[in-house]
């Protein structure tokens, strides 16, 4: 009996196996051989591809935003275009009759004023359309018709290869898909509200949704003025915005009333939007609208610890940037949104990433966050806002820098450079791959700057007397225990003096010819500068060895800032509605002139490679303002003022020198001025500096200079104690 059962079981198993083999053979005969797809291959147009995919896959392809969804930098970008001329960006000429929105004009203007721009397409690595692609909602008045035909007719289009397309709005009512209405081919997307499903990692760039009123350059500072501890505000969690009764994006906002308690959690919505809102309003609309009108949005924003950022019709929202600027920690409720610049920004350090399905848990979650963590989150919102989001220009430049990091072979920025002060826009990886070579990361790395400096003396006068100030200055600086070497930058029209004309010193003295004899050459990143610190000096500066030692000692504690002696200030002239420049001796200053100042050598590289040619050309033409421009740059990077050290006699000597030098040289004043020996004697000097201030402020988009009243003196400076007890005793004898 048992043998019979075993026989039946074996017979049944054999029959099942035979049936399976038969069915497999039938399917194979029906479908033919399957062709495996390479990960970079795009075959959506081929007949074989359409036959061998499932109906669901075919539907996904047909509703896809673009054909090149498998595009990556390795497959859809021609790196050879970038190898010869570097990362240069070309903007197509604007076509007659084409309307361009203000926002897109700001994007194009930001690119054209950047160091990446080229007007020669033959030098370009990346191409930007002049056709407005920002708003692809067919119901929008900004929608550009027939865009597909216009783009395809461009001679350099090349199926979108090496092109970047900017977009803020895609799709339209009722489903708001991410379709742009034209085939982008192999182009990259810089897109707002892009989903993780359609985002192509290491190819596309997710950008924030910004309004037409967003500043083009500069932008307002963040609103965290004081690091309040504990960091709690009047409200714990707030939101104020539209409520959609039906359709995409309505679920989360319709449920917010469950969490609202009208005390520390204030989540307000209104149905009062659109022409026909009364026809579609529900039972809660009137109550919601009345509650909505009781609160001022800005007051809520600036007085809340957390700000809810739920999705709207699209994944992105204006609330995101508003919360960042207000130092209100964003609580993200937009499942599937690829957050802006997610490739470089660690959003966990600045936002709370929530889940729309767990809305009711949000209040408990934010209440459980420790106050130390809240303060850290708020500080990071301010850093990110000011580094990458406060203006259209910063958004555009961040996008381009991300792409440049992918393209260039010398390496990209580290996550630390992107996510810590001063940010990736000011930390150029072309300078060095080692963080310790920058002035910003010493504390993070647990190291200190190199304990020596290189003095760079800017010489414009011919060497005709052994009693000239430059020779005395050279001897004083060389005696400093911290001096590694002295570089004399010879910008005089006269030939270089013979070696025996220079005094003998204990440190090397290197004399180099200035490039083109222009002012900006004093800030070139010379390879001969081997120390972190640069002591920048004018030839007519009078400093003792003690003063040099003390200034360098101070700088070692503030390596990212300018530290020095001659201070100046700026002010706003309300009558003329422009910035003013003053050299009056007051307790307030915002600049330390580079005629006697110490700073990090990285700023030479930044001055040369970050600032636009137009500003440096202005400096060179005027032979003036290079010191102001350097202060603008450093303050823009650090968001901090320079540091003034003990009062010396530099300021007094500058005016006296313009009268004394003709006597020393046994010549006349006109000869001195013609050799640019004393800019202080030029009556136009001060007026030019006023003009420079406003020109520089215009390019930076705001006034980056920061006022300070701090002056650092040696311990026991001018105290009534024995001079023998003072380390820097010689300073008081000047």
């Amino acid at each position: 009996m048992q043998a019979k059962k075993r026989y039946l079981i074996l017979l049944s198993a054999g029959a099942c196996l035979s049936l399976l083999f038969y069915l497999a053979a039938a399917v194979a005969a029906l479908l033919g051989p399957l062709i495996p797809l390479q990960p970079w291959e795009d075959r959506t147009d081929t007949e074989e591809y359409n036959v061998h995919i499932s109906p669901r896959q075919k539907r996904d392809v047909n509703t896809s935003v673009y054909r090149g969804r498998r595009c990556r930098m390795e497959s859809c970008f021609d790196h050879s275009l970038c190898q010869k001329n570097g990362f240069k960006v070309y903007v197509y000429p604007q076509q007659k009759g084409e309307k361009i929105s203000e926002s897109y004009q700001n994007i194009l203007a930001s690119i054209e004023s950047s160091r990446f721009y080229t007007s020669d397409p033959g030098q370009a690595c990346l191409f930007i359309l002049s056709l407005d692609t920002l708003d692809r909602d067919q119901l929008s008045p900004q929608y550009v018709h027939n865009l597909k035909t216009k783009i395809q007719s461009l001679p350099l289009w090349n199926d979108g290869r090496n092109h970047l397309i900017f977009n803020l709005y895609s799709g339209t009512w009722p489903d708001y898909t991410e379709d742009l209405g034209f085939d982008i081919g192999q182009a990259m997307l810089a897109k707002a509200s892009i989903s993780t499903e359609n985002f192509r990692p290491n190819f596309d760039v997710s950008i924030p949704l910004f309004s037409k009123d967003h500043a083009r350059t500069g932008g307002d500072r963040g609103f965290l003025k004081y690091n309040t501890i504990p960091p709690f505000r009047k409200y714990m969690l707030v939101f104020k915005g539209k409520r959609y009764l039906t359709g995409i994006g309505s679920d989360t906002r319709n449920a917010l009333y469950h969490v609202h308690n009208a005390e520390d959690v204030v989540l307000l919505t209104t149905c009062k939007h659109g022409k026909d809102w009364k026809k579609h309003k529900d039972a809660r609309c009137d109550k919601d609208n009345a509650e909505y009108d009781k609160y001022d949005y800005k007051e809520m924003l600036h007085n809340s610890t957390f700000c809810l950022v739920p999705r709207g019709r699209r994944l992105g929202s204006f609330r995101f940037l508003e919360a960042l600027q207000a130092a209100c920690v964003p609580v993200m409720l937009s499942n599937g949104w690829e957050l802006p610049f997610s490739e470089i920004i660690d959003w966990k350090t600045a936002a709370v990433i929530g889940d729309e399905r767990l809305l009711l848990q949000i209040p408990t979650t934010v209440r459980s966050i420790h106050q130390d963590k809240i303060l850290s989150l708020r500080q990071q919102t301010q850093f990110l806002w000011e580094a990458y989001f406060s203006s259209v220009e910063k958004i555009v430049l961040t996008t381009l820098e991300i792409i440049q990091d992918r393209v260039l072979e010398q390496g990209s920025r580290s996550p630390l450079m992107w996510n810590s002060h001063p940010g990736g826009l000011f930390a150029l990886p072309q300078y060095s791959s080692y963080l310790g070579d920058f002035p910003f990361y010493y504390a993070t790395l647990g190291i200190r700057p190199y304990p020596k400096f290189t003095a760079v003396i800017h010489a414009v006068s011919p060497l005709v007397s052994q009693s000239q100030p430059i020779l005395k200055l050279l001897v004083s600086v060389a005696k400093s225990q911290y001096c590694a070497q002295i570089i004399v930058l010879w910008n005089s029209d006269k030939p270089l003096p013979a070696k025996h004309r220079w005094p003998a010193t204990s440190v090397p003295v290197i004399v180099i010819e200035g490039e083109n004899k222009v002012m900006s050459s004093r800030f070139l990143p010379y390879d001969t500068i081997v120390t972190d610190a640069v002591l920048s000096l004018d030839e007519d500066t009078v400093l003792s060895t003690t003063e040099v030692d003390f200034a360098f000692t101070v700088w070692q504690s503030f390596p990212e800032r300018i530290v020095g002696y001659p201070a100046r200030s700026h002010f706003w002239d309300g009558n003329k509605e422009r910035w003013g420049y003053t050299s009056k001796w007051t307790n307030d200053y915002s600049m330390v002139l580079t005629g006697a100042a110490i700073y990090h050598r990285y700023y030479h590289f930044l001055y040369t490679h970050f600032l636009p040619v137009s500003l440096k050309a202005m400096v060179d033409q005027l032979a003036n303002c290079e010191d102001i421009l350097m202060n603008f740059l450093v303050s823009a990077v650090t968001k901090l003022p320079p540091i003034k050290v003990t009062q010396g006699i530099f300021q007094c000597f500058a005016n006296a020198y313009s009268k004394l030098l003709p006597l020393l040289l046994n010549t006349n004043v006109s000869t001195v001025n013609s050799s640019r020996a004393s800019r202080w004697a030029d009556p136009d000097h001060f007026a030019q500096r006023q003009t420079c201030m406003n020109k520089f402020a215009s390019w930076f988009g705001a006034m980056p200079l920061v006022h300070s009243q701090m002056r650092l003196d040696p311990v026991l400076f001018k105290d009534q104690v024995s001079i023998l007890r003072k380390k820097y005793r010689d300073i008081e004898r000047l």
Side-chain angles (χ1 to χ4, degrees):
M1 188 70 181
Q2 294 297 329
K4 186 176 181 180
K5 287 183 177 180
R6 286 196 296 270
Y7 175 78
L8 290 175
I9 292 173
L10 289 173
L11 183 62
S12 300
C16 291
L17 287 173
S18 300
L19 182 60
L20 287 174
F21 281 120
Y22 174 79
L23 291 175
V27 170
L30 179 63
L31 295 180
L34 293 178
I35 302 174
L37 287 177
Q38 297 297 328
W40 61 83
E41 200 173 7
D42 181 22
R43 305 179 59 139
T44 56
D45 285 343
T46 64
E47 183 178 352
E48 291 83 5
Y49 181 87
N50 289 325
V51 169
H52 300 307
I53 62 174
S54 68
R56 180 177 180 179
Q57 288 174 313
K58 189 180 297 184
R59 183 172 61 253
D60 289 344
V61 169
N62 291 336
T63 59
S64 169
V65 178
Y66 32 77
R67 286 189 299 107
R69 65 185 308 160
R70 291 182 179 85
C71 271
R72 298 296 183 269
M73 295 297 290
E74 300 81 13
S75 58
C76 295
F77 192 91
D78 186 356
H79 290 258
S80 65
L81 297 181
C82 314
Q83 292 175 357
K84 183 178 180 180
N85 300 300
F87 188 74
K88 293 295 182 181
V89 183
Y90 173 76
V91 177
Y92 282 83
Q94 188 170 339
Q95 300 180 15
K96 292 184 178 180
E98 289 294 341
K99 61 179 182 181
I100 299 181
S101 64
E102 182 179 354
S103 294
Y104 200 60
Q105 287 177 353
N106 289 339
I107 288 176
L108 298 183
S110 298
I111 296 172
E112 291 172 348
S113 63
S114 75
R115 69 183 189 279
F116 301 118
Y117 175 70
T118 177
S119 58
D120 182 1
Q123 295 183 355
C125 168
L126 187 68
F127 298 83
I128 309 294
L129 301 176
S130 62
L131 296 166
D132 192 344
T133 57
L134 283 189
D135 195 339
R136 300 306 298 156
D137 185 338
Q138 296 181 17
L139 300 180
S140 169
Q142 301 293 339
Y143 181 81
V144 178
H145 296 274
N146 303 319
L147 199 54
K148 178 179 179 180
T149 304
K150 295 174 182 177
I151 291 177
Q152 294 294 337
S153 65
L154 296 173
L156 301 174
W157 175 242
N158 191 25
D159 195 32
R161 203 169 182 84
N162 287 55
H163 282 67
L164 177 66
I165 293 174
F166 286 91
N167 176 256
L168 294 181
Y169 306 97
S170 61
T172 189
W173 187 88
D175 50 5
Y176 294 92
T177 66
E178 295 181 41
D179 181 21
L180 300 188
F182 66 94
D183 180 14
I184 70 170
Q186 300 180 48
M188 293 179 286
L189 278 177
K191 190 179 188 315
S193 306
I194 191 169
S195 65
T196 54
E197 179 183 1
N198 285 316
F199 181 76
R200 297 168 293 181
N202 199 40
F203 194 70
D204 293 330
V205 179
S206 176
I207 63 174
L209 183 65
F210 58 88
S211 71
K212 64 178 181 177
D213 299 322
H214 204 57
R216 189 184 81 78
T217 61
D220 294 331
R221 298 286 300 270
F223 296 140
L224 182 62
K225 296 182 179 179
Y226 307 102
N227 294 332
T228 310
I229 299 178
F232 300 117
R233 294 177 171 180
K234 178 180 179 181
Y235 304 109
M236 176 60 67
L237 178 68
V238 300
F239 172 75
K240 187 177 183 182
K242 298 176 182 178
R243 177 163 70 88
Y244 307 109
L245 302 179
T246 59
I248 190 169
S250 62
D251 293 344
T252 300
R253 297 196 181 197
N254 275 330
L256 293 182
Y257 78 98
H258 291 295
V259 183
H260 170 75
N261 64 16
E263 295 177 359
D264 64 339
V265 178
V266 180
L267 307 179
L268 308 171
T269 60
T270 179
C271 310
K272 196 186 298 183
H273 56 88
K275 297 180 180 179
D276 301 325
W277 71 271
K278 291 184 178 180
K279 296 180 181 179
H280 306 288
K281 71 176 186 178
D282 59 16
R284 285 202 343 265
C285 276
D286 290 336
K287 181 180 179 181
D288 286 352
N289 293 342
E291 188 83 355
Y292 185 91
D293 293 335
K294 292 180 182 179
Y295 292 83
D296 179 76
Y297 175 62
K298 288 188 176 180
E299 189 273 336
M300 293 171 59
L301 193 65
H302 297 164
N303 290 280
S304 180
T305 305
F306 296 93
C307 284
L308 198 67
V309 185
R311 66 162 297 159
R313 290 300 195 192
R314 298 175 178 87
L315 293 171
S317 167
F318 292 134
R319 300 293 181 272
F320 179 69
L321 290 187
E322 293 168 351
L324 280 183
Q325 183 182 13
C328 187
V329 181
V331 179
M332 312 305 301
L333 280 184
S334 185
N335 293 7
W337 182 22
E338 188 73 24
L339 294 180
F341 303 141
S342 55
E343 183 174 336
I344 60 165
I345 294 178
D346 181 6
W347 282 111
K348 292 181 181 178
T349 64
V352 177
I353 313 299
D355 190 320
E356 294 180 70
R357 297 165 298 183
L358 303 176
L359 171 64
L360 299 182
Q361 297 181 15
I362 293 298
T364 304
T365 299
V366 297
R367 292 183 199 280
S368 67
I369 300 176
H370 193 272
Q371 63 183 31
D372 292 344
K373 177 65 174 177
I374 293 175
L375 180 59
S376 175
L377 290 167
R378 291 178 64 192
Q379 289 173 332
Q380 192 67 359
T381 64
Q382 300 302 272
F383 160 68
L384 294 176
W385 164 259
E386 294 183 5
Y388 307 120
F389 298 107
S390 63
S391 68
V392 174
E393 181 182 56
K394 289 179 181 177
I395 293 171
V396 170
L397 291 180
T398 303
T399 302
L400 296 181
E401 293 282 7
I402 289 173
I403 298 173
Q404 182 186 221
D405 271 9
R406 300 170 183 168
V407 170
L408 298 185
E409 296 179 356
Q410 64 263 34
S412 59
R413 297 167 178 83
S414 67
L416 177 63
M417 296 170 79
W418 284 114
N419 290 279
S420 62
H421 183 79
L425 297 187
F426 288 121
L428 305 186
Q430 296 86 352
Y431 174 70
S432 176
S433 59
Y434 175 51
L435 292 177
D437 288 337
F438 294 84
F440 320 115
Y441 311 113
Y442 291 123
T444 303
L445 298 176
I447 61 176
R448 292 180 61 81
Y450 184 71
K452 297 279 186 178
F453 66 80
T454 296
V456 179
I457 303 177
H458 186 228
V460 296
S461 305
L463 194 59
V464 297
S465 170
Q466 291 301 114
S467 61
Q468 283 181 230
I470 186 173
L471 301 180
K472 296 179 180 180
L473 176 64
L474 195 149
V475 172
S476 295
V477 172
K479 290 180 180 179
S480 171
Q481 60 181 311
Y482 304 114
C483 183
Q485 61 179 352
I486 299 175
I487 296 175
V488 177
L489 178 61
W490 192 255
N491 263 350
S492 174
D493 295 330
K494 302 298 182 180
L496 284 172
K499 289 185 178 181
H500 71 272
R501 301 290 303 277
W502 302 102
T505 61
S506 59
V507 299
V509 176
I510 304 170
V511 183
I512 58 177
E513 287 265 19
E515 185 175 312
N516 299 322
K517 307 291 186 180
V518 294
M519 295 303 298
S520 293
S521 64
R522 72 183 300 176
F523 296 137
L524 288 174
Y526 296 104
D527 293 335
T528 48
I529 300 176
V530 295
T531 59
D532 292 332
V534 175
L535 172 60
S536 177
L537 297 165
D538 284 344
E539 62 178 10
D540 55 358
T541 300
V542 175
L543 285 178
S544 69
T545 304
T546 303
E547 287 178 300
V548 172
D549 286 348
F550 177 65
F552 180 72
T553 302
V554 172
W555 177 85
Q556 287 180 299
S557 298
F558 305 95
E560 76 282 9
R561 295 159 81 171
I562 298 178
V563 175
Y565 287 92
R568 300 290 185 267
S569 188
H570 74 285
F571 64 95
W572 177 253
D573 189 334
N575 294 327
K576 297 181 179 179
E577 294 188 346
R578 58 178 296 179
W579 294 106
Y581 171 89
T582 179
S583 58
K584 292 181 179 179
W585 290 17
T586 66
N587 291 329
D588 186 280
Y589 67 93
S590 58
M591 290 172 279
V592 166
L593 304 187
T594 54
I598 301 177
Y599 50 79
H600 199 281
R601 64 173 175 170
Y602 174 63
Y603 292 123
H604 277 208
F605 185 88
L606 210 57
Y607 185 100
T608 302
H609 296 286
F610 178 81
L611 293 176
V613 174
S614 60
L615 296 188
K616 291 179 287 187
M618 178 182 182
V619 165
D620 295 338
Q621 182 180 4
L622 296 175
N624 196 352
C625 304
E626 81 288 350
D627 47 359
I628 297 178
L629 183 54
M630 178 61 85
N631 273 269
F632 266 69
L633 176 63
V634 176
S635 291
V637 172
T638 63
K639 306 295 188 298
L640 295 169
I643 293 178
K644 177 173 173 53
V645 290
T646 306
Q647 186 71 42
I649 62 171
F650 177 90
Q651 296 89 340
C652 302
F653 188 81
N655 293 323
Y657 183 61
S658 63
K659 300 177 181 178
L660 181 62
L661 188 61
L663 301 177
L664 293 174
L665 300 181
N666 193 25
T667 184
N668 54 55
V669 175
S670 61
T671 304
V672 174
N673 286 339
S674 66
S675 65
R676 299 174 304 193
S678 180
R679 290 178 288 161
W680 303 94
D682 186 351
D684 294 330
H685 177 78
F686 191 80
Q688 289 173 350
R689 293 172 83 78
Q690 299 271 15
T691 302
C692 289
M693 293 279 294
N694 290 277
K695 181 71 174 180
F696 298 163
S698 175
W699 185 83
F700 279 92
M703 172 54 71
L705 297 178
V706 181
H707 285 281
S708 176
Q709 294 183 346
M710 181 178 73
R711 191 184 84 188
L712 297 185
D713 297 335
V715 175
L716 302 180
F717 178 67
K718 291 190 176 180
D719 283 358
Q720 299 300 316
V721 298
S722 171
I723 197 71
L724 298 177
R725 297 177 59 187
K726 301 181 180 183
K727 181 177 180 180
Y728 300 100
R729 63 193 68 163
D730 291 340
I731 291 182
E732 297 184 34
R733 295 173 180 170
L734 296 173

